Amino acid sequence: MSNGDGVLAAVTRLQADYARYVDGGQAMAWSALYGSRGVLTLSDGREVGGADDLAAFAARAPQGVHLQGVPSIEERDDGDIESVAPFLFVNAENGSMIAGTYRDRMTWEDGRLVFAKRHIDMKRSL
């Protein structure tokens, strides 16, 4: 897909679904956003991949609200998309906040955009 508006809409939908599913406790739907080979990496060096492990990770996530800033989007020659966006997570239980950056590589799989890799770079706990 090379239509700029279509790419922006697909990226926005994927990122919105990420927050909506994890914040809503929909672990299996959240894990499906990673496609068949997608992986999540964290700034502490952990790496999570595979539908079951991703779903288990999401099920253990603290309840709260993920707020994502406007992403910078770059379409690659191979059809993948790279994106960088700031985020803020507000923990519903204790009010703590974590700020950071999402660094994404997205790919098209079965006609939909999925995460090939999402790296969460947690900058600071507020």
Side-chain angles (χ1 to χ4, degrees), residues 10 12 24 67 72 88 93 98-99 111 126:
T12 302
L67 304 170
S72 168
L88 179 67
E93 185 175 308
I98 297 172
L126 308 172

Side-chain angles (χ1 to χ4, degrees), residues 2-36:
S2 61
N3 174 329
D5 290 340
V7 168
L8 178 59
V11 168
T12 302
R13 186 176 315 108
L14 178 60
Q15 293 172 337
D17 286 347
Y18 174 95
R20 180 169 55 104
Y21 292 154
V22 73
D23 292 344
Q26 299 177 51
M28 289 306 294
W30 181 86
S31 71
L33 298 175
Y34 285 85
S36 62

Side-chain angles (χ1 to χ4, degrees), residues 96-117:
S96 67
M97 294 181 275
I98 297 172
T101 304
Y102 291 129
R103 298 184 187 283
D104 299 324
R105 173 98 179 244
M106 303 167 195
T107 193
W108 296 97
E109 187 174 285
D110 299 327
R112 68 184 185 108
L113 193 62
V114 295
F115 292 112
K117 181 177 184 179

Side-chain angles (χ1 to χ4, degrees), residues 44-111:
D44 65 5
R46 287 182 289 163
E47 184 173 298
V48 184
D52 291 341
D53 288 344
L54 285 162
F57 178 87
R60 291 189 305 270
Q63 292 299 301
V65 177
H66 288 77
L67 304 170
Q68 181 171 303
V70 176
S72 168
I73 300 169
E74 180 182 332
E75 292 181 72
R76 298 170 40 97
D77 290 339
D78 63 5
D80 282 1
I81 298 165
E82 292 187 353
S83 173
V84 177
F87 75 87
L88 179 67
F89 172 72
V90 182
N91 187 309
E93 185 175 308
N94 61 24
S96 67
M97 294 181 275
I98 297 172
T101 304
Y102 291 129
R103 298 184 187 283
D104 299 324
R105 173 98 179 244
M106 303 167 195
T107 193
W108 296 97
E109 187 174 285
D110 299 327

Side-chain angles (χ1 to χ4, degrees), residues 37-52:
R37 294 185 303 250
V39 66
L40 171 68
T41 62
L42 303 164
S43 54
D44 65 5
R46 287 182 289 163
E47 184 173 298
V48 184
D52 291 341

Side-chain angles (χ1 to χ4, degrees), residues 113-126:
L113 193 62
V114 295
F115 292 112
K117 181 177 184 179
R118 171 162 263 201
H119 177 73
I120 302 175
D121 186 12
M122 290 179 262
K123 301 285 188 194
R124 172 175 185 177
S125 184
L126 308 172

